[in-house]
Amino acid sequence: MQSKVLLIYTGGTIGMNQNPRTKTLEPFDFEHLLHNVPELNQFDTIISTYQFSPPIDSSDMSPAKWTDLAHVIADRYDRYDGFVVLHGTDTMAYTASALSYMFENLTKPVIFTGSQLPIGQLRTDGKENLITSIEIAAARHQDGTALVPEVGIYFNGHLMRGNRTTKQSADEFNAFESFNYPHLAEAGVNIVYHEELIRKPDFSKAMKPHFRLDNNVIIFSLFPGVREDLIRHIIATPNLRSIVMRTFGSGNAPQSPWLISALKEGTRRGKVIVNISQCMQGCVEMGRYDTGYQLKEAGVVSGHDSTVESAVTKLMFLQSHYEEPEQIRRYMERSIRGEITL
């Protein structure tokens, strides 16, 4: 039986065309995309299409648009075996992370891809990314269950877990990497799936979509010379419920008494403060050095080896479901969608 895949174009470089007058890139329609990839006609897969109108520049992506995308997939979930989402690269890791939390017990592939060059350009990376993503979204076991029932990002020969991935280059075709988790699949002559790394949902149960997000969260990075008045101002922001604090190395911060005092005050007021390393690779270990231990004593929660994109979207998801800060803190230290290693 043929697999059915829904191809969703949200926007992004892959579907853009060059304006002959300004020479800038502008979004085009699906016909332009399909015209440049006639190979899609060779698939033994039924491919349907859905286009956001107007297309969204990924810099304009927002929680409201994540909800729209989740509805597009959830409303058509039973009609397709997999989904491929064409998305701009700049915020793709945020969107993939958000959707991984919004789809509980996901039993079908939701594969994000895009390109660094428009699909119509001679040296585009878009064709291979698109073609292989569709093949992955259509792949099934002998019993008909999906081979990759996850939200993933496919780029430049690698399939990665969506909520483990970050954009690492604005110029290279190898634009994404999952630094703290191995690739789910490698695409060369054949696609080699690492099934022991792929999440296993309960196929006997339905996928449960969630559409609410609470974006009362902020990200800030510590740096040598960070000012006390600015940090205290951020922590005291009305309605702010959580902070992703990017620290040094394995989760360390300056040993300034005012910083520990400010963080303690934030925790006392019910703010959830999550410690994420500024390093691309590695894990927050707040018991490793005294500077990290002091953060733990101030009520700061370890983000373990989470990406910033995953941490901030997980907080948005949790805040929409739980009022109590302590409950959110507990879930931030648990893996709920394979987003951290414990």
Side-chain angles (χ1 to χ4, degrees):
M1 186 175 175
Q2 282 182 302
S3 293
K4 295 180 180 179
V5 171
L6 180 62
L7 181 59
I8 303 167
Y9 177 54
T10 68
T13 300
I14 192 168
M16 287 188 172
N17 200 21
Q18 193 173 56
N19 183 308
R21 183 178 62 82
T22 65
K23 304 301 181 186
T24 57
L25 294 176
E26 299 176 342
F28 213 66
D29 59 26
F30 237 125
E31 292 305 313
H32 167 73
L33 192 72
L34 300 177
H35 172 74
N36 282 282
V37 194
E39 294 89 343
L40 294 180
N41 295 320
Q42 299 177 35
F43 266 101
D44 186 27
T45 299
I46 299 169
I47 303 171
S48 302
T49 60
Y50 181 95
Q51 178 170 331
F52 275 65
S53 183
I56 306 161
D57 186 292
S58 69
S59 297
D60 292 325
M61 196 52 73
S62 66
K65 292 183 172 69
W66 293 337
T67 299
D68 291 342
L69 178 57
H71 275 293
V72 169
I73 294 171
D75 292 349
R76 296 159 179 79
Y77 193 77
D78 294 335
R79 288 152 48 188
Y80 296 95
D81 300 297
F83 302 85
V84 173
V85 181
L86 302 181
H87 193 289
T89 58
D90 287 348
T91 58
M92 186 186 292
Y94 286 96
T95 304
S97 295
L99 261 67
S100 76
Y101 299 119
M102 296 170 82
F103 293 142
E104 183 180 343
N105 195 50
L106 184 66
T107 57
K108 296 178 181 181
V110 177
I111 310 300
F112 282 79
T113 195
S115 66
Q116 296 286 64
L117 287 173
I119 201 91
Q121 290 194 10
L122 189 62
R123 293 184 55 252
T124 185
D125 54 328
K127 275 192 179 184
E128 193 278 324
N129 286 346
L130 173 58
I131 289 167
T132 305
S133 293
I134 291 172
E135 192 168 341
I136 292 169
R140 291 185 282 175
H141 291 107
Q142 289 288 332
D143 63 2
T145 57
L147 206 58
V148 187
E150 288 210 29
V151 176
I153 290 178
Y154 177 80
F155 232 87
N156 196 48
H158 310 305
L159 176 66
M160 297 154 280
R161 178 168 295 163
N163 59 31
R164 290 286 195 145
T165 307
T166 196
K167 187 175 181 181
Q168 66 169 354
S169 175
D171 301 315
E172 296 178 4
F173 286 156
N174 191 31
F176 289 90
E177 188 53 86
S178 56
F179 291 97
N180 289 320
Y181 197 76
H183 298 159
L184 304 182
E186 309 286 352
V189 174
N190 298 303
I191 301 176
V192 179
Y193 295 94
H194 305 300
E195 293 196 49
E196 72 281 5
L197 300 172
I198 298 171
R199 283 173 62 78
K200 308 293 190 294
D202 186 342
F203 286 104
S204 68
K205 293 182 180 178
M207 184 275 288
K208 183 179 179 181
H210 301 273
F211 301 112
R212 290 183 294 119
L213 295 166
D214 178 348
N215 63 343
N216 285 301
V217 56
I218 198 166
I219 302 166
F220 71 72
S221 294
L222 296 178
F223 56 90
V226 63
R227 286 178 49 144
E228 177 180 358
D229 58 334
L230 298 181
I231 293 297
R232 287 192 181 276
H233 183 73
I234 290 170
I235 290 174
T237 301
N239 301 322
L240 181 66
R241 296 184 63 189
S242 60
I243 297 166
V244 174
M245 183 174 67
R246 301 183 68 234
T247 56
F248 308 131
S250 56
N252 304 310
Q255 294 192 49
S256 306
W258 68 259
L259 178 60
I260 302 303
S261 170
L263 295 173
K264 280 183 178 177
E265 178 63 18
T267 300
R268 188 186 67 78
R269 291 186 178 185
K271 304 282 197 291
V272 177
I273 306 171
V274 181
N275 187 350
I276 299 290
S277 175
Q278 294 178 25
C279 300
M280 299 287 265
Q281 193 164 14
C283 182
V284 165
E285 298 178 74
M286 290 196 291
R288 190 171 177 183
Y289 297 99
D290 184 55
T291 51
Y293 182 78
Q294 288 186 43
L295 296 180
K296 189 174 181 180
E297 288 292 290
V300 175
V301 175
S302 174
H304 299 279
D305 58 353
S306 173
T307 64
V308 170
E309 297 93 332
S310 180
V312 74
T313 52
K314 184 177 179 181
L315 283 165
M316 289 183 191
F317 172 74
L318 293 174
Q319 287 174 177
S320 71
H321 286 74
Y322 304 105
E323 287 295 325
E324 288 299 317
E326 197 52 48
Q327 203 162 9
I328 295 171
R329 292 188 187 103
R330 283 198 299 271
Y331 276 111
M332 286 304 296
E333 295 209 86
R334 295 182 197 173
S335 175
I336 61 174
R337 302 287 191 271
E339 72 280 2
I340 54 177
T341 305
L342 296 174

